[in-house]
Amino acid sequence: MKTTILTYICACLVIFGFMACDDDHVSDLRLDGGCMVEQIALDNYEGTIDLASRSIVVRLPEVYNTSAMKVTTLQLSEGASSDIVEGATLNMDAAKVLHVRNGDVFLNWTVSVLHDEARITQFVINDIYTGTINQDDKTITVYVPASVGLTNLVPTITYSANATITPASGVAQDFSQPVVYKVTNNTAESLYTVTVIAIDKPKALFIGSPSNMNDLDPEAYTACQWMLSHIGGSLYASFADLQAGTLDLSECKVIWWHYHVDGGVDGHDVFAAKATDALAVKNELRSFYENGGAMFLTRYATNLPSFIGVTGDDEWTTPNNCWGQDEANAELCGGPWSFRMYDGQQGHPLWQNLIQGDNPNEVYCTDAGYHITNSTAQYHIGTDWGGYDNYDAWEARTGGKIVGVGNDGAVVAWEYPAHDGKGGIICIGSGCYDWYSYTFEAGYTENFHRNIAIITENAFNHLMK
C-alpha cells in the first residue's frame, strides 16, 4: 500500500512540473531592462557617475547659484524612463534622488553638486602656532615667539577636499618674507599670502593647558582665535610655558584665561581638583598680577583670583553658584539671552558701543538659533545661602566691584580695580558669555552675539591702558 501511495505522489509531481513549463504559465514581468544613467548634465556641467554607489556628482564653480539648475542632458539605458526629465529645473541646494525605471526593474540614483572650493581652512606652524585666516582678502597671519626664528618653519595646512596646494603642506619654508600659497580645485583657484610675525615680547597672552592651541576645547579655541586676530602682539601660551619661563612677559599687559569644562566647575574644591595645571603656576600668575599685570578671566577662570591673593587670604571667595552643560548637548536659544548692567555701571567701559535691544540696560548676548552651554560661575546674593547677604557684603568681602548682574540678581560680571601697583582684573561668569555654538539652526542670523566680541575688546582696551 505504501508503494502505491508513493508512486501516486511522484506522478503528481511530474504532472505539475510539466504544467509549470507550459507557455500559458510564464510570468509577464519585464526584468531584462537596464536602469543605468549613462550621461547627465546640469546647466551644461557634466556629472561624474559612480556605478558602485549609484551616485552622480556635478562639479560647479566655487560661487554658483544652485537653486534653479536645468537638466540640460539626460541619457538613460535603452527603453528606460525617469521621474526627472531632460529640460526640468531642479533646486540643487540639497541632493536629489533620480528614480529610473525600465519595465518592472528600477534603480535610484543620488544626484548632488559639489562646488570647486579652493580654500585654506587651517594653517599651523611647527604643529604649534595657528594662523588667523581672513577668507575675504585671502591673508593668513601667524604669530610666533622670536626664539623660534623665521627661516625654517614647517607649515601643516588643511585645505579644500580634492584641491592641490603649492608649496606643499609639510615642506619647510623661509617666512622672513610673506609666502604666497596657491590652492587649485578644478575651476577654482585662490592665492593666500602668509605672513609670520615674530614676537619678542608679547603684549597679551591667551593661556590654557594644551601645549598647542589647536588642542583647546572649541569654546576656548574660538575665543583664542579671536584674540590673535584682534589684539596686536598677542600669543597663545600654555601653563607649562609660564612655569618654564620661556616667555619674556616684561611688556605683557593682559593675560586672558577662558576656562570651559563640560558639565561645569561647581565651587572651590571642584576648581582646585580640575584646574591643577593653572594652579601649578599660581605663584607666577600672582607675581604677574602683583607687578602690575592685568587679567581677563572668563567662565570658570573667575575662580582664580581667590587662589592668587586678589581677595586677601580668603580662598573661599570663589563663585558660589556654578553649573554648565556639555558642548555636544548645548541648549537652543529661542531668542536673545541677556544679563543686566549693574545700577550705576551703565557707563562702565565694558558696556560701551554694544548692539542694543529693547532695554538699554540689558547686555544682549545671543540670538535665536544659537546653541549655548550656559556655563555659569556667579555669586548668589541673599541671606538664604552662600555667605553674601547683599551686594555691599559681597563687595566688602571680595574687594571687587559689581558691574553686571543676572535676572535673578546674582553677580555675573565684576572687576578688581588696579591698586597699589597691582594690575586690574575683569571677571565675567555669566552663562550668556559664550563664543562657540556647535551648530546653528536654519535661519540663524548673528546680531546680538556680536556683543561678545565687543565686550571682550572693551575689556582689553580698558585693561591695557
Side-chain angles (χ1 to χ4, degrees):
M1 183 66 180
K2 291 182 178 179
T3 303
T4 303
I5 294 174
L6 181 59
T7 302
Y8 174 76
I9 292 173
C10 291
C12 289
L13 290 173
V14 172
I15 294 171
F16 286 136
F18 282 119
M19 289 178 62
C21 295
D22 189 273
D23 288 343
D24 292 339
H25 294 85
V26 172
S27 169
D28 59 359
L29 291 175
R30 290 182 52 202
L31 304 177
D32 57 346
C35 295
M36 304 296 292
V37 177
E38 297 177 350
Q39 186 180 13
I40 187 171
L42 303 179
D43 287 356
N44 294 316
Y45 289 97
E46 287 283 340
T48 299
I49 301 169
D50 186 324
L51 299 180
S53 62
R54 293 203 303 275
S55 62
I56 302 167
V57 177
V58 179
R59 299 286 295 270
L60 301 173
E62 183 170 5
V63 179
Y64 195 89
N65 185 359
T66 60
S67 62
M69 298 191 69
K70 185 177 181 180
V71 182
T72 48
T73 302
L74 180 59
Q75 294 181 9
L76 308 175
S77 297
E78 184 178 355
S81 62
S82 65
D83 57 344
I84 296 174
V85 299
E86 189 172 306
T89 299
L90 306 177
N91 183 343
M92 292 304 300
D93 291 345
K96 292 288 182 291
V97 174
L98 178 65
H99 184 82
V100 180
R101 176 178 291 276
N102 198 339
D104 294 297
V105 181
F106 66 88
L107 288 177
N108 287 330
W109 299 76
T110 301
V111 184
S112 61
V113 299
L114 177 65
H115 291 274
D116 293 333
E117 184 179 84
R119 292 191 173 199
I120 293 176
T121 55
Q122 189 176 71
F123 195 97
V124 183
I125 293 289
N126 290 4
D127 292 327
I128 297 176
Y129 309 104
T130 300
T132 299
I133 303 174
N134 186 320
Q135 296 290 4
D136 292 330
D137 59 14
K138 297 293 187 291
T139 60
I140 301 174
T141 306
V142 190
Y143 296 97
V144 302
S147 59
V148 172
L150 299 180
T151 59
N152 189 38
L153 301 178
V154 179
T156 301
I157 312 169
T158 304
Y159 49 93
S160 301
N162 304 311
T164 59
I165 189 166
T166 306
S169 175
V171 176
Q173 296 292 329
D174 180 353
F175 285 99
S176 56
Q177 298 294 326
V179 177
V180 176
Y181 281 81
K182 180 179 180 180
V183 186
T184 304
N185 190 0
N186 200 26
T187 64
E189 180 180 294
S190 297
L191 298 176
Y192 285 82
T193 300
V194 180
T195 303
V196 180
I197 299 174
I199 299 177
D200 185 26
K201 300 176 181 179
K203 299 295 189 296
L205 285 182
F206 190 104
I207 58 174
S209 293
S211 60
N212 186 336
M213 64 172 283
N214 290 330
D215 295 327
L216 290 167
D217 61 89
E219 172 70 24
Y221 178 83
T222 305
C224 183
Q225 276 281 56
W226 179 90
M227 175 179 169
L228 295 180
S229 61
H230 289 82
I231 306 300
S234 61
L235 284 177
Y236 172 79
S238 68
F239 295 119
D241 292 331
L242 296 181
Q243 193 169 36
T246 57
L247 293 168
D248 184 344
L249 300 184
S250 61
E251 294 185 10
C252 185
K253 300 292 186 181
V254 181
I255 288 178
W256 181 14
W257 185 21
H258 184 60
Y259 182 34
H260 170 80
V261 175
D262 273 354
V265 176
D266 189 10
H268 174 280
D269 289 348
V270 177
F271 178 82
K274 289 183 177 292
T276 54
D277 290 346
L279 295 183
V281 294
K282 69 178 183 180
N283 291 335
E284 288 84 350
L285 293 171
R286 180 169 186 162
S287 177
F288 175 79
Y289 159 70
E290 291 182 343
N291 285 288
M295 294 185 183
F296 184 42
L297 303 173
T298 49
R299 198 157 282 193
Y300 304 117
T302 56
N303 285 272
L304 182 64
S306 301
F307 287 84
I308 60 173
V310 178
T311 58
D313 296 327
D314 188 358
E315 281 193 4
W316 294 92
T317 51
T318 53
N320 63 2
N321 189 203
C322 311
W323 66 85
Q325 300 173 13
D326 292 350
E327 198 71 71
N329 300 302
E331 184 174 352
L332 174 63
C333 296
W337 285 28
S338 66
F339 59 92
R340 291 188 288 113
M341 303 172 192
Y342 185 54
D343 289 344
Q345 292 294 329
Q346 286 82 356
H348 192 279
L350 276 184
W351 314 139
Q352 303 310 300
N353 304 312
L354 296 181
I355 299 168
Q356 293 190 344
D358 296 335
N359 187 340
N361 294 321
E362 291 286 315
V363 180
Y364 296 94
C365 298
T366 68
D367 302 285
Y370 185 93
H371 289 260
I372 191 169
T373 61
N374 194 17
S375 297
T376 300
Q378 64 181 20
Y379 290 91
H380 174 83
I381 301 297
T383 57
D384 48 348
W385 57 276
Y388 304 100
D389 292 351
N390 51 52
Y391 293 132
D392 289 340
W394 182 89
E395 291 191 339
R397 182 177 174 187
T398 66
K401 299 296 181 183
I402 303 168
V403 295
V405 295
N407 292 324
D408 59 355
V411 176
V412 300
W414 60 98
E415 179 180 14
Y416 301 102
H419 66 94
D420 302 324
K422 299 177 181 179
I425 298 177
I426 288 178
C427 296
I428 300 178
S430 170
C432 298
Y433 183 86
D434 193 284
W435 281 92
Y436 173 80
S437 175
Y438 77 93
T439 188
F440 298 93
E441 298 301 309
Y444 171 80
T445 301
E446 186 174 61
N447 181 34
F448 292 122
H449 187 249
R450 288 178 290 170
N451 279 334
I452 300 301
I454 295 172
I455 291 168
T456 304
E457 190 164 16
N458 287 342
F460 273 92
N461 290 338
H462 178 58
L463 294 170
M464 296 181 82
K465 289 181 178 178

